[in-house]
Amino acid sequence: MKHHTLLPALTALCMVLALPAMADWSYNSEAGTISDGNWTLKVNRQNDGTYSLGVSNSERAYVAGSGMLDLYNVEAETGIALSYAFNNALSGCMELTEVVLPDTITTIGLSAFQNCSNLVSATLPVNLARIQADGFRNCTALETVTPFLPETITYLGENCFNGTLSLRSPLVVRSTKLTSLPKNCFSNSRSLPSVDLSGSAVVTLPEGTFYNNYALTEVILPENLATIGNNCFRSCTSLTNMVPFLPDTVRSIGESSFYGTTNLVGDLKLNCPDLKSVSKTAFLNNVRLTSVDMSGSGITRLYNQVFQNGRGITNVVLSPVLRSIGNGVFQDCSSLESVTPFLPKNLTSIGEKAFDSCSALGGELELVCEEMTSISKQAFVGVNLTKVTLPVSALTIGDSCFSGIEPGAEVFFLGAAPARLGANVFNTGATANPCIIYACRIMDQDGWANYTTALTDSDRARESYPGPGTFGVLVNNSYRHWLMSWNSPAASGPFIISIF
């Protein structure tokens, strides 16, 4: 059998000859098009004498062509300077695989390359100033953008790179004129490896900026960053390093901004004087955080579930001006051993399950907060408390609030009987060794009428009966605790109570 060794070579030659001949760009003024023998594109003269790629907002530039579109030499070969890639210029062009834009272009218009799903690489003009909304949105095959981004950038529109699933170019922003990244601009850029904003003037990272970027491992933040929007880094599951973490200039941290950044390691420092609150679920499921320091902040409120499921957090330093802890803020922080102070004297409320299942946390809890109004249900479930001092202020205590308190623990009420005492509040789980509740003698004993029963001879005969200071038995959903009177220095705080 003879082998036709020339056949593959001839086949390849025929394929090459079949490709459209590449030629210099030419301009057809009558048709309003430019062509290089492969690509034919519509252009339109602008008032300043330059030309736009595309005719209007409703008409694309594309007429014909496929593969690589290299516009770099258009001006030299036609005398036409392209300054603007018009809105929708090549949107949805499935034939486009690579694009090189000339340095004369300063603006990429609205949706200019949106949905070009076969576009693999883009070379941007070195003098580019603006990329409008949706400029490269859903370019799902786009792997490289060069440069990414030019230092001349002054504006980026919403969703401009949203959905660029294959983008592997490190994002470096050095522009001193770009103060804000837009909403969702890099969300779902799931191959983006790193972000460096250190040389930029960016002060705002709005909603969803880097949302759902699975491959992102490192972020270097700008030194004057003020705002981190909702869902900004949400679900960046590979993010391990953020420098700094976080700048002292931060004033606002949005909802779920770091939700699910499960590999973000280290100590979180929120020593931001102008930071007044942390929004709900901001650091939910950050299981590798080791500590949180808010000592230098102006935080007065922690909203719901801020640090929930922070299983690696061992110590927390709270803001000295903190007034409200929301629902589930430290819930399931099972390694949490230390909270300083435990708790600030300015607190007015503690939400449901705020410290639920903080099983490593225990000791003495002194709530000498003069304005405290409520401790919600299950707030300290599973916390191994040996002593609880409750404030002078009128207080509502929710169901199972201190359930799981240590058997034999002592509870001191500095003020009046609570406005509401829920079920199982001081359930030790050991009915033979209940808590002892101490109430001030100066308090109206009748105020406990709803929570007590008269002592009986059998009560006094019990081995655990504390002694003659006992004036009743607290009945809390069938759990009985001794209720004793004692001498308090005063019915106001703050002060530390010691056992007489």
Side-chain angles (χ1 to χ4, degrees), residues 45 142 146 160 224 258 398 414 474:
R45 192 175 188 277
L142 184 61
T146 310
C160 53
N224 293 315
F258 291 89
L414 304 186
L474 178 70

Side-chain angles (χ1 to χ4, degrees), residues 116-352:
C116 291
S117 57
N118 292 311
L119 178 63
V120 174
S121 71
T123 303
L124 302 182
V126 295
N127 297 314
L128 185 65
R130 298 173 68 87
I131 301 177
Q132 304 282 26
D134 302 316
F136 289 92
R137 185 173 187 174
N138 292 335
C139 291
T140 53
L142 184 61
E143 295 181 1
T144 60
V145 177
T146 310
F148 191 39
L149 291 162
E151 294 185 17
T152 51
I153 283 286
T154 61
Y155 176 83
L156 295 173
E158 290 185 7
N159 298 296
C160 53
F161 287 93
N162 186 351
T164 50
L165 305 180
S166 303
L167 188 55
R168 291 177 172 82
S169 295
L171 173 63
V172 179
V173 181
R174 293 284 184 263
S175 172
T176 57
K177 295 181 180 180
L178 184 67
T179 58
S180 175
L181 296 183
K183 181 178 177 181
N184 297 316
C185 55
F186 299 102
S187 62
N188 296 305
S189 296
R190 297 180 185 175
S191 300
L192 187 68
S194 63
V195 174
D196 184 353
L197 307 175
S198 60
S200 74
V202 170
V203 295
T204 301
L205 297 176
E207 180 178 346
T209 306
F210 298 103
Y211 171 59
N212 221 15
N213 284 334
Y214 302 151
L216 184 62
T217 59
E218 182 180 58
V219 173
I220 303 176
L221 296 174
E223 61 179 9
N224 293 315
L225 183 65
T227 301
I228 300 174
N230 298 346
N231 301 306
C232 186
F233 293 98
R234 182 171 180 171
S235 299
C236 292
T237 53
S238 296
L239 182 59
T240 57
N241 190 31
M242 178 166 285
V243 183
F245 189 35
L246 291 163
D248 292 347
T249 52
V250 169
R251 297 181 179 181
S252 175
I253 299 177
E255 293 180 12
S256 303
S257 48
F258 291 89
Y259 181 173
T261 51
T262 52
N263 280 295
L264 195 53
V265 179
D267 302 323
L268 172 61
K269 297 188 182 297
L270 292 174
N271 292 318
C272 315
D274 295 325
L275 182 62
K276 305 303 181 187
S277 66
V278 183
S279 299
K280 67 181 183 180
T281 64
F283 295 93
L284 178 64
N285 291 338
N286 276 234
V287 296
R288 299 189 68 186
L289 289 182
T290 53
S291 69
V292 179
D293 184 357
M294 296 175 260
S295 60
S297 75
I299 295 172
T300 60
R301 184 165 186 176
L302 295 174
Y303 285 86
N304 297 348
Q305 301 174 287
V306 172
F307 300 105
Q308 184 176 324
N309 202 30
R311 299 195 301 269
I313 298 174
T314 59
N315 64 87
V316 170
V317 182
L318 296 174
S319 164
V321 295
L322 185 64
R323 292 183 64 79
S324 174
I325 298 177
N327 299 342
V329 168
F330 296 103
Q331 184 178 4
D332 295 321
C333 291
S334 54
S335 299
L336 182 59
E337 298 175 351
S338 170
V339 177
T340 309
F342 191 34
L343 290 162
K345 65 181 181 180
N346 295 308
L347 273 180
T348 61
S349 63
I350 300 174
E352 294 181 13

Side-chain angles (χ1 to χ4, degrees), residues 368-450:
V368 289
C369 315
E370 296 180 5
E371 299 180 53
M372 176 71 74
T373 59
S374 65
I375 309 175
S376 298
K377 65 182 182 181
Q378 302 177 342
F380 293 91
V381 170
V383 179
N384 302 311
L385 297 172
T386 57
K387 177 183 173 183
V388 178
T389 303
L390 295 169
V392 174
S393 57
L395 196 61
T396 296
I397 303 178
D399 296 350
S400 303
C401 183
F402 296 98
S403 182
I405 192 170
E406 287 290 291
E410 297 167 309
V411 180
F412 291 83
F413 278 86
L414 304 186
R420 179 184 181 275
L421 190 66
N424 296 322
V425 169
F426 300 107
N427 176 15
T428 65
T431 55
N433 193 10
C435 294
I436 300 177
I437 313 296
Y438 293 87
C440 297
R441 280 193 181 135
I442 60 173
M443 182 178 65
D444 181 1
Q445 188 167 314
D446 292 339
W448 287 91
N450 293 330

Side-chain angles (χ1 to χ4, degrees), residues 39-42 60-66 89-90 93 95:
W39 287 92
T40 300
L41 303 171
K42 297 176 183 177
R60 296 194 307 164
Y62 177 75
V63 175
S66 64
L90 286 154
C93 183
E95 296 80 7

Side-chain angles (χ1 to χ4, degrees), residues 487-500:
N487 287 315
S488 167
S492 62
F495 51 88
I496 298 175
I497 305 303
S498 58
I499 302 300
F500 58 87

